[in-house]
Amino acid sequence: MAAERVNIIHLLASPHGLTCRIPLAEKKIGYELEEVHKFRSSMATLEEVKESCKSLPVLIHNGKEIYEFRTVVEYIDEAWKSRSAFLPLDPYKRAQARYWFDFIDKEVNLILVINRQLVAISLFSAPSLVAWLWGLACDTEAAKKELVSTLKELEVELGDKPYFGGESLGLVDIVLLPHYAWFHTYERCADFCIQAHCPKLIGWAKQCLRKASASQCLPDPDEVYENAMKLKERVDEITPVVAIAKFFSRLASRCDSEHMLGDIFFGRLVGAEAWVSESPA
Amino acid sequence: MAAERVNIIHLLASPHGLTCRIPLAEKKIGYELEEVHKFRSSMATLEEVKESCKSLPVLIHNGKEIYEFRTVVEYIDEAWKSRSAFLPLDPYKRAQARYWFDFIDKEVNLILVINRQLVAISLFSAPSLVAWLWGLACDTEAAKKELVSTLKELEVELGDKPYFGGESLGLVDIVLLPHYAWFHTYERCADFCIQAHCPKLIGWAKQCLRKASASQCLPDPDEVYENAMKLKERVDEITPVVAIAKFFSRLASRCDSEHMLGDIFFGRLVGAEAWVSESPA
């Protein structure tokens, strides 16, 4: 059999990209890595950044391209079936793992959406925290509460198991672990300590990192922070976007409801009725 | 073996709910259906509607709950493995099917996001068409072009095969077909004919509907249209949201770039630089 060629292209420190690399490492599949540093280049146009974010990460296996990170992870599990499996055999347990995979992608996925859309919009969780990161007025305390509450839900799901996958690394571990590399950035930006709220989750992350497959893929948290700050600078250069963001910021302050900023800015208008009734007259 | 109990709860005419029902029908699995008519009830609070939209559809199999529609579809395929399979055996072909499943969910998914968030925000395609549906000023022509271009991509993927799954109904057919029930609504709202642009896709849909599994699940297009209009009325009652939407509408007209409305309203700010340079001074 000819030697296999496996390539992976992803954006530097993107949780989605890391989610694809951990299972390759865990199955001991050698691969060539191309990290895209689009945000570092001042030459990259917005359109280029947007386009490359949309299609990344991509796995190329013997010339065949596989897109969409969840699809890539399941492909890795199925194409190298004989090596450690990430999904259990029982259909209901598989469904549970897939549900939590989706939950993490939607609820914990902060910076990634920023990576994909530059100024993140359709965030599902902690929009105010991200707004804060971009220097907008917002309720950081509410944002922290939101993030901690999501992480606590995950702690309940973890229970007393060593991994979400049970005795070995599973689909849910693979998707959550890359976000751990971003915890330091959130903590530093919003001045709080996730471990104080979710000690079991941090214990789980540290245990995962004792595995070479995880530790060799995850970037240094300080490097993640520095890159987030560079990305922020890059965004700050895009004057019209910032102008619009600042307009929302002013709108929010006039409405005397800081929540409104995050919600309008991040496109969650459903609670408008509640904001209006909650706001002082 | 005790008789199986299968229940499915979904929002009336929600494409995600229909996507879960077609595979059950195709595998000839009897189930009890509960359609939620939240939007019809003026008693339902916004919070109730939002909550029930978030967790629907749900499949309950012998008391076990399975959430998230893609997870439900794969669960059905795996739990009743001996009956017609929706995913091919080859890992790469499975990855391709999953990629297109995701593509359709993101790109063709118009009204559904409205269902989930009431006033749709994080739309990936044709935001202006939806804005139009909600009575806002927008560029309907651009919206139609966007939708048709997405559908044409799908026509290319279909090629000369009878189904996306090849000779039999597959994962991609199952996720696209429910959107066909909404085509009539889009056509009526925006006064155009999808068949004139994508005859092969309409041919595919009509062939699928000759299967009882598809035709017994899909709602009547006129009923879908009437319900969309009822939903619109319900949204119109939520004054603050409409006020914000109208503000965006005015902002867009002042900027003399109609695209901007949809993009700001639906949270796609990335192209702001382009709008500004394209707009007349």
Side-chain angles (χ1 to χ4, degrees):
Chain A
M1 208 171 96
E4 291 194 307
R5 276 208 65 177
V6 181
N7 297 68
I8 196 145
I9 308 168
H10 79 110
L11 276 167
L12 183 77
S14 141
H16 279 184
L18 296 171
T19 295
C20 299
R21 287 172 58 195
I22 296 171
L24 287 172
E26 183 69 8
K27 287 193 185 237
K28 298 189 174 47
I29 299 155
Y31 61 94
E32 276 174 49
L33 177 69
E34 189 188 328
E35 278 186 336
V36 178
H37 297 244
K38 283 276 182 198
F39 296 113
R40 284 190 173 170
S41 157
S42 59
M43 294 300 289
T45 68
L46 271 178
E47 215 40 55
E48 277 170 1
V49 173
K50 198 180 159 193
E51 268 315 299
S52 60
C53 295
K54 238 169 88 177
S55 55
L56 292 183
V58 55
L59 175 85
I60 310 170
H61 182 201
N62 293 335
K64 286 175 181 165
E65 295 178 0
I66 296 119
Y67 293 93
E68 205 267 309
F69 91 112
R70 176 166 156 178
T71 298
V72 169
V73 175
E74 293 219 32
Y75 174 80
I76 294 168
D77 208 26
E78 292 172 351
W80 291 276
K81 224 174 188 162
S82 57
R83 311 192 190 182
S84 56
F86 305 123
L87 275 166
L89 285 173
D90 174 67
Y92 180 62
K93 286 186 183 154
R94 290 167 78 85
Q96 280 181 303
R98 286 182 176 131
Y99 169 78
W100 285 106
F101 189 99
D102 187 69
F103 175 88
I104 292 165
D105 186 37
K106 283 182 182 147
E107 305 289 337
V108 189
N109 194 3
L110 275 95
I111 302 296
L112 177 72
V113 185
I114 288 205
N115 281 355
R116 282 174 72 181
Q117 301 209 6
L118 251 190
V119 179
I121 306 299
S122 58
L123 286 177
F124 293 82
S125 90
S128 327
L129 182 58
V130 178
W132 187 91
L133 182 64
W134 300 119
L136 307 171
C138 72
D139 187 344
T140 315
E141 289 312 310
K144 283 190 267 191
K145 253 190 212 159
E146 218 175 317
L147 183 63
V148 166
S149 133
T150 303
L151 296 179
K152 275 185 188 289
E153 267 195 79
L154 288 166
E155 269 198 339
V156 172
E157 171 59 19
L158 177 64
D160 292 319
K161 302 191 294 284
Y163 301 101
F164 285 92
E167 293 305 313
S168 61
L169 213 70
L171 194 71
V172 183
D173 302 286
I174 287 167
V175 69
L176 184 57
L177 204 50
H179 291 285
Y180 176 68
W182 285 89
F183 280 14
H184 172 67
T185 300
Y186 306 152
E187 290 178 326
R188 209 161 149 185
C189 285
D191 191 24
F192 75 132
C193 171
I194 295 177
Q195 185 162 22
H197 300 281
C198 306
K200 276 173 80 173
L201 206 65
I202 302 298
W204 157 84
K206 286 183 177 161
Q207 166 154 318
C208 289
L209 284 173
R210 284 200 284 272
K211 288 180 87 80
S213 59
S215 61
Q216 76 188 46
C217 293
L218 251 58
D220 176 53
D222 286 316
E223 203 191 328
V224 172
Y225 175 76
E226 278 159 32
N227 274 294
M229 291 305 108
K230 276 180 197 149
L231 173 59
K232 186 175 176 330
E233 271 169 38
R234 177 87 186 88
V235 172
D236 284 346
E237 287 164 17
I238 309 154
T239 332
V241 173
V242 173
I244 292 167
K246 288 194 174 153
F247 162 78
F248 285 133
S249 180
R250 280 201 306 279
L251 180 70
S253 68
R254 280 198 55 185
C255 293
D256 207 7
S257 163
E258 287 182 331
H259 294 284
M260 204 166 174
L261 161 68
D263 285 283
I264 292 182
F265 190 54
F266 295 103
R268 308 201 300 188
L269 291 169
V270 174
E273 232 172 27
W275 298 320
V276 171
S277 60
E278 275 166 23
S279 301
Chain B
M1 207 170 95
E4 291 194 306
R5 276 208 66 178
V6 182
N7 297 68
I8 196 144
I9 309 168
H10 81 110
L11 277 167
L12 183 78
S14 141
H16 279 185
L18 296 171
T19 295
C20 299
R21 287 172 58 197
I22 296 170
L24 286 172
E26 184 68 10
K27 287 194 185 237
K28 298 188 173 48
I29 300 157
Y31 61 95
E32 277 175 48
L33 176 69
E34 189 187 327
E35 279 186 334
V36 178
H37 296 244
K38 282 277 181 196
F39 297 112
R40 284 191 173 169
S41 158
S42 59
M43 294 300 289
T45 68
L46 271 178
E47 215 39 55
E48 278 170 1
V49 173
K50 199 181 160 193
E51 267 316 298
S52 61
C53 294
K54 237 170 88 176
S55 55
L56 293 183
V58 54
L59 174 84
I60 310 171
H61 182 201
N62 293 335
K64 287 176 182 163
E65 295 178 0
I66 296 118
Y67 293 94
E68 204 269 308
F69 90 113
R70 175 166 158 178
T71 299
V72 169
V73 175
E74 293 220 33
Y75 174 80
I76 295 167
D77 208 25
E78 293 172 352
W80 291 276
K81 223 172 188 164
S82 57
R83 310 190 190 184
S84 56
F86 305 124
L87 275 166
L89 285 174
D90 174 66
Y92 180 62
K93 285 186 183 155
R94 290 167 78 86
Q96 280 181 303
R98 286 181 177 131
Y99 169 80
W100 285 106
F101 189 100
D102 188 69
F103 175 89
I104 292 164
D105 186 37
K106 283 183 181 146
E107 306 288 338
V108 189
N109 194 4
L110 275 94
I111 302 296
L112 176 71
V113 185
I114 290 205
N115 281 354
R116 281 175 74 183
Q117 302 210 6
L118 250 189
V119 179
I121 306 299
S122 57
L123 285 177
F124 293 83
S125 91
S128 327
L129 182 58
V130 178
W132 187 92
L133 182 63
W134 301 119
L136 307 170
C138 72
D139 187 343
T140 316
E141 288 313 310
K144 283 189 268 190
K145 252 189 213 161
E146 217 176 321
L147 184 62
V148 165
S149 134
T150 303
L151 297 179
K152 275 185 188 291
E153 268 195 79
L154 287 165
E155 268 197 339
V156 172
E157 171 59 18
L158 177 66
D160 293 320
K161 303 191 293 285
Y163 300 100
F164 285 91
E167 293 303 315
S168 61
L169 213 71
L171 195 70
V172 183
D173 301 286
I174 287 167
V175 69
L176 184 57
L177 203 51
H179 292 284
Y180 176 68
W182 285 89
F183 280 12
H184 172 67
T185 301
Y186 307 152
E187 290 179 326
R188 209 161 149 185
C189 285
D191 191 24
F192 76 132
C193 171
I194 295 176
Q195 184 162 25
H197 300 280
C198 306
K200 277 174 79 175
L201 206 65
I202 302 298
W204 157 86
K206 285 183 177 159
Q207 165 154 318
C208 288
L209 284 173
R210 284 200 285 272
K211 289 181 86 81
S213 59
S215 61
Q216 75 189 46
C217 294
L218 251 57
D220 176 53
D222 287 315
E223 203 191 329
V224 172
Y225 175 78
E226 278 159 33
N227 273 294
M229 292 304 109
K230 276 179 196 149
L231 173 59
K232 186 175 176 327
E233 271 170 38
R234 177 88 187 87
V235 172
D236 285 344
E237 288 165 18
I238 310 155
T239 331
V241 174
V242 173
I244 292 167
K246 289 196 173 152
F247 163 78
F248 284 133
S249 180
R250 280 201 305 277
L251 180 70
S253 68
R254 280 198 54 185
C255 293
D256 207 8
S257 164
E258 287 183 330
H259 294 282
M260 204 168 174
L261 162 68
D263 286 284
I264 293 183
F265 190 54
F266 295 101
R268 309 201 301 187
L269 291 170
V270 175
E273 234 171 27
W275 298 321
V276 171
S277 61
E278 274 167 24
S279 300

